[in-house]
Amino acid sequence: MAHLAAGNERQRDAYRVLQESRVLLTLAAFHPYPAGTVPIDIDISGSDLDILCEANDLDAFATLIHRDLGNMLHFHCSRGTRSGDGASYVTCNFQIDHWPIEIFAQAVPIQQQNAYLHMKVEWELLQLWGAEGHREIRRLKRSGLKTEPAFAQVLGLQGDPYVELLHLATWSRIELRDWACKQPSFFPFSSTINERL
């Protein structure tokens, strides 16, 4: 959360909303972690403010969320099972001020959750691309693409973009950088990448 508190204007505003609404206090026992596009500065108008949580007892988590946040605007909470590994999760959506918020909880440490792994890879790539990369991802998102498909398009990835980004998340920073620099789709950012090596 310190990253948001010291970030750009939208990040600081997101942090303010979470603090003033006491959402962070409600989630404190579940190690709330900001994820998605806002922390890595590729959010666009209408982007969700995503918060990952680790909840070993999803029933108790859902009960607490309904009790403490159920009066929020546009509140909706649902249970699901992730395709692939069958892991259960809870998602809760609501709105505070102009921010749509989504809380995602699993009985999985946050650093092992797919959303965290996607964001980590995306952040590493953005560090290579610089401002040009941020602009291109935002452009693709404004055209209607979700975040992971936007990255997959720039990377020239084939197959399911969510799965492919998880594969990249298993690589070291050096392996990811070396591979990324060889991709033809990176040519528009080549001068930026060379400056950052």
Side-chain angles (χ1 to χ4, degrees), residues 3 7 12 17 26-27 33 38 42-43 50 53 65 69 86 91-92 107 123 135 139 142 146 159 161 168 180 194:
H3 175 71
R12 293 193 307 271
V17 164
T26 298
L27 299 174
Y33 194 95
V38 175
I42 53 168
D43 54 302
D50 298 320
C53 291
I65 295 299
L69 301 175
T91 57
C92 294
W123 176 246
R135 282 193 291 270
R139 184 189 70 77
R142 289 189 188 104
K146 296 290 189 181
L168 296 182
N194 291 333

Side-chain angles (χ1 to χ4, degrees), residues 1-192:
M1 294 298 173
H3 175 71
L4 293 183
N8 63 34
E9 184 178 349
R10 279 180 60 80
Q11 290 168 337
R12 293 193 307 271
D13 186 57
Y15 180 78
R16 175 192 62 78
V17 164
L18 291 175
Q19 289 285 10
E20 291 178 359
S21 65
R22 302 178 67 83
V23 167
L24 295 181
L25 186 62
T26 298
L27 299 174
F30 306 102
H31 316 291
Y33 194 95
T37 59
V38 175
I40 59 176
D41 191 24
I42 53 168
D43 54 302
I44 60 174
S45 178
S47 289
D48 287 348
L49 178 55
D50 298 320
I51 304 174
L52 304 180
C53 291
E54 178 185 351
N56 293 321
D57 186 336
L58 290 175
D59 290 329
F61 178 83
T63 298
L64 181 143
I65 295 299
H66 274 91
R67 185 193 72 198
D68 292 356
L69 301 175
N71 63 341
M72 294 290 186
L73 185 65
H74 305 310
F75 179 86
H76 175 73
C77 205
S78 62
R79 296 285 296 263
T81 303
R82 198 170 63 190
S83 60
D85 61 6
S88 297
Y89 61 85
V90 170
T91 57
C92 294
N93 300 84
F94 50 91
Q95 185 162 338
I96 304 174
D97 289 352
H98 55 279
W99 283 103
I101 295 175
E102 178 170 289
I103 299 170
F104 180 88
Q106 280 186 298
V108 175
I110 286 163
Q111 289 78 8
Q112 296 174 23
Q113 292 184 21
N114 287 355
Y116 175 88
L117 295 171
H118 286 158
M119 185 179 68
K120 181 181 174 186
V121 168
E122 290 159 4
W123 176 246
E124 294 289 350
L125 292 167
L126 289 166
Q127 296 309 289
L128 288 175
W129 291 344
E132 294 89 346
H134 283 78
R135 282 193 291 270
E136 179 64 7
I137 294 298
R138 285 196 193 96
R139 184 189 70 77
L140 291 170
K141 287 173 63 61
R142 289 189 188 104
S143 76
L145 288 180
K146 296 290 189 181
T147 303
E148 285 77 6
F151 274 88
Q153 181 167 316
V154 174
L155 291 164
L157 294 176
Q158 303 299 314
D160 185 328
Y162 298 89
V163 173
E164 294 302 317
L165 285 175
L166 286 179
H167 174 67
L168 296 182
T170 65
W171 295 1
S172 71
R173 179 178 295 176
I174 294 173
E175 289 172 324
L176 181 64
R177 182 199 66 192
D178 291 347
W179 173 82
C181 291
K182 296 174 185 173
Q183 303 313 302
S185 54
F186 270 60
F187 288 164
F189 312 121
S190 59
S191 61
T192 303

